[in-house]
Amino acid sequence: ITGAGIPPSRQGTVYNGLMHATDWFPTILRAAGTNTSGTFPLDGVDQWGALRATDPNPDSPRTELLINIDPINRSSALRKNHRKIIRGEPLYSGWYSLAWPLRPCPLCRTSPSTT
């Protein structure tokens, strides 16, 4: 992270929070001193507070991220917090931890061997 408005303690650090390209618009508006009130609802989430946070690992205001929807191959993937769900490929369908290698979620009903 670097730029105007970023505290010196955060300059040159890496932001590991969950962020999507659509988050830049509300984030830049807030950095410029304005906001999105009175506009149409946005898909983006304001990340300015997390980028400026003095905590080295601030929580991201975004908790979900759509990774892909493929209507031709009928597959999709979604990330929620520290889990990812993959649908469409029977071998890999299910919730996974973000740890590598991908491991099934022990608390979820589905696993990589089920559809």
Side-chain angles (χ1 to χ4, degrees):
I1 301 172
T2 190
I6 303 295
S9 63
R10 293 288 287 168
Q11 296 276 341
T13 63
V14 175
Y15 176 62
N16 291 315
L18 193 58
M19 190 167 183
H20 187 268
T22 59
D23 296 340
W24 281 112
F25 183 63
T27 301
I28 291 170
L29 285 178
R30 176 134 175 247
T34 187
N35 60 49
T36 59
S37 64
T39 67
F40 292 106
L42 299 175
D43 291 329
V45 176
D46 176 9
Q47 298 267 0
W48 187 239
L51 293 174
R52 288 182 43 85
T54 54
D55 179 356
N57 295 305
D59 289 333
S60 173
R62 176 175 288 284
T63 59
E64 296 177 340
L65 182 66
L66 178 65
I67 298 170
N68 184 44
I69 296 178
D70 184 344
I72 295 171
N73 294 314
R74 299 181 62 184
S75 63
S76 60
L78 172 80
R79 179 174 166 183
K80 181 169 176 67
N81 296 319
H82 297 290
R83 300 276 180 211
K84 183 191 296 184
I85 187 165
I86 301 171
R87 286 288 187 218
E89 177 64 41
L91 181 62
Y92 298 108
S93 286
W95 282 99
Y96 290 86
S97 165
L98 293 180
W100 184 258
L102 290 178
R103 294 188 181 98
C105 172
L107 303 175
C108 303
R109 292 183 183 156
T110 62
S111 70
S113 61
T114 63
T115 59

